[in-house]
Amino acid sequence: MAFKQPEHCYVPPVGGRHYSKSTSMSKTALVIHGGISRGAFAVGAIQKLMEIRPDLHFDILSGGGAGSLIIPFVALKEIRPLIEIFTTKHNRDIIKKFALSERIQEASILDASPLWALLDHYYNHNLYNRLCASGKELYFNTMCLQTHAMTVFSPSINPVITPLCAQRRFENYDQFLRVLLACACQPVLLPPIRIFPQEEPIRQYIDAGPREYAGIEMAILAGATEVFVLLQSPVTHAVENKEYHDIYSILQEALEIFTADTANNLHITPNLYNEGLRYIQDVKKKIMQQGVPASLIEDWFDTGKTDNPFYNKRPVRLHIIRPELPLGGGPDGLSFDPTLMQEMLTKGEQAMESHLTLA
């Protein structure tokens, strides 16, 4: 297959972020993070969301890890393939395991060739073509080993989010599959991926990991006014009374800690953003009560600077759905047990139903 050369990699400028003027049209975003087999929780949550709010359409979809495998089908409003992927597969369908001593000279502990075959089966040319024609804003989150930059792949470049991360565009089906594989490849456990194999200098990509928090901020920058965030890390961590002896288990647990920290920090930036907007609105109302015309107040608050993060923005309605307790699936989410994943899916349905009932 012939490979096209990628377009220029957009690197975020040094200094303040530049927020574009939002449009009057509201946008709804979906952000899904990590978990691999634990993506079954997100699939269950989405299935319940589609059932309760069938009129809901996502304009913006951002994914990392298992989330990157989920958002293509959600963009097309297809849930059945996701249920099959996340409730019927075994370890042999995703990875090949080896003794650690056999992989010392390799790029990863595990072999991801079965996962590549699975992607090629479910994410076919037809899906790729429909996805590119859907008009949805799709963001697949990775991290580049060579540049250390969080790099977002998409069918098109959106200048609005360039201050936040590097952007690259995939241009054909093969590159699309490589993007999905890179998003799912946890470093050391699975190999880094060259999305553009003929590119020089070499660039290898892995799961965005601890930098995935940016998915929410990307959605806000792109104009989202309502954001659904699906996480697989639990609210409460189960304390274990055991000693870790081998390298593999220590690595797995360390990755779990990093993921948990990411999930706990996700809501900080958008909450500060919302609080800032509400504060500004309260101040404007107070000034207006003193008889100052609204047009003059708006003029006072318009500094004319493009890096004003609150310019023409509205508070974002944020939904964060995550399990209360650990889902299982191994610390790295690379243990595939259909029975356990079906339980995860059910927990996702319950969590979403509970959230929508209280919202």
Side-chain angles (χ1 to χ4, degrees):
M1 177 181 293
F3 295 96
K4 297 180 181 179
Q5 286 296 321
E7 291 193 344
H8 175 68
C9 179
Y10 285 72
V11 178
V14 177
R17 295 170 182 163
H18 301 281
Y19 289 70
S20 70
K21 182 176 179 179
S22 63
T23 64
S24 59
M25 182 183 70
S26 297
K27 289 183 178 181
T28 303
L30 175 66
V31 178
I32 308 177
H33 289 283
I36 306 301
S37 66
R38 287 175 288 196
F41 176 87
V43 173
I46 293 165
Q47 180 172 239
K48 181 58 65 174
L49 182 61
M50 288 182 173
E51 177 187 319
I52 296 176
R53 291 186 58 179
D55 58 324
L56 182 65
H57 300 279
F58 292 112
D59 308 288
I60 302 164
L61 300 99
S62 173
S68 296
L69 306 183
I70 294 171
I71 63 172
F73 285 106
V74 177
L76 300 174
K77 304 204 79 169
E78 297 179 9
I79 194 70
R80 297 310 306 175
L82 289 174
I83 294 174
E84 183 175 331
I85 292 170
F86 284 94
T87 62
T88 67
K89 304 307 173 190
H90 297 79
N91 282 351
R92 63 178 179 272
D93 302 312
I94 309 298
I95 54 175
K96 290 182 180 179
K97 292 187 175 182
F98 302 88
L100 187 59
S101 59
E102 298 179 66
R103 306 291 291 179
I104 295 299
Q105 301 298 321
E106 302 295 334
S108 63
I109 296 174
L110 307 172
D111 183 339
S113 55
L115 177 57
W116 176 264
L118 181 143
L119 294 177
D120 191 38
H121 174 73
Y122 285 97
Y123 300 82
N124 53 38
H125 285 272
N126 178 264
L127 178 136
Y128 172 73
N129 291 333
R130 288 187 294 132
L131 203 60
C132 291
S134 68
K136 304 288 186 180
E137 295 181 48
L138 297 162
Y139 303 112
F140 299 89
N141 306 325
T142 72
M143 185 169 64
C144 179
L145 285 179
Q146 283 74 25
T147 66
H148 296 190
M150 177 174 170
T151 306
V152 176
F153 286 86
S154 185
S156 60
I157 296 296
N158 185 348
V160 171
I161 67 168
T162 55
L164 184 64
C165 57
Q167 285 192 81
R168 303 202 69 171
R169 182 162 71 95
F170 54 80
E171 300 177 326
N172 58 45
Y173 174 68
D174 180 79
Q175 292 170 5
F176 169 63
L177 287 188
R178 289 175 180 272
V179 167
L180 295 181
L181 188 60
C183 290
C185 282
Q186 299 179 38
V188 182
L189 298 179
L190 295 172
I193 305 300
R194 293 187 66 179
I195 294 169
F196 308 103
Q198 295 181 342
E199 178 181 33
E200 294 292 343
I202 292 172
R203 294 289 180 263
Q204 296 167 291
Y205 298 91
I206 58 175
D207 173 26
R211 297 188 176 181
E212 289 179 337
Y213 71 89
I216 296 178
E217 197 166 358
M218 282 193 300
I220 294 173
L221 286 171
T225 52
E226 184 172 22
V227 183
F228 286 81
V229 184
L230 305 181
L231 308 175
Q232 282 72 63
S233 59
V235 174
T236 304
H237 173 67
V239 178
E240 296 179 331
N241 185 24
K242 71 176 185 180
E243 184 176 357
Y244 294 92
H245 293 283
D246 62 285
I247 294 173
Y248 187 46
S249 64
I250 294 171
L251 173 63
Q252 287 179 306
E253 199 62 28
L255 289 173
E256 186 79 357
I257 293 170
F258 296 152
T259 301
D261 284 346
T262 299
N264 292 333
N265 294 332
L266 273 169
H267 63 284
I268 294 176
T269 296
N271 280 348
L272 285 173
Y273 171 88
N274 280 347
E275 289 168 7
L277 284 169
R278 293 191 187 101
Y279 173 77
I280 290 171
Q281 290 303 317
D282 289 343
V283 172
K284 288 181 178 180
K285 289 178 181 178
K286 193 170 183 179
I287 297 173
M288 193 178 299
Q289 289 170 356
Q290 301 300 313
V292 180
S295 59
L296 184 57
I297 296 173
E298 292 301 324
D299 184 61
W300 285 350
F301 277 84
D302 184 2
T303 64
K305 295 181 179 180
T306 59
D307 60 354
N308 176 4
F310 300 115
Y311 178 65
N312 202 35
K313 290 292 196 305
R314 293 173 289 174
V316 174
R317 188 179 183 191
L318 190 64
H319 307 264
I320 296 183
I321 296 92
R322 60 191 297 197
E324 286 295 325
L325 298 171
L327 292 170
D332 48 26
L334 286 171
S335 296
F336 291 80
D337 179 340
T339 301
L340 179 58
M341 289 190 289
Q342 181 60 61
E343 293 175 2
M344 295 180 195
L345 187 144
T346 300
K347 290 177 181 178
E349 290 180 311
Q350 294 169 345
M352 178 59 77
E353 185 171 25
S354 177
H355 175 82
L356 293 178
T357 301
L358 297 173

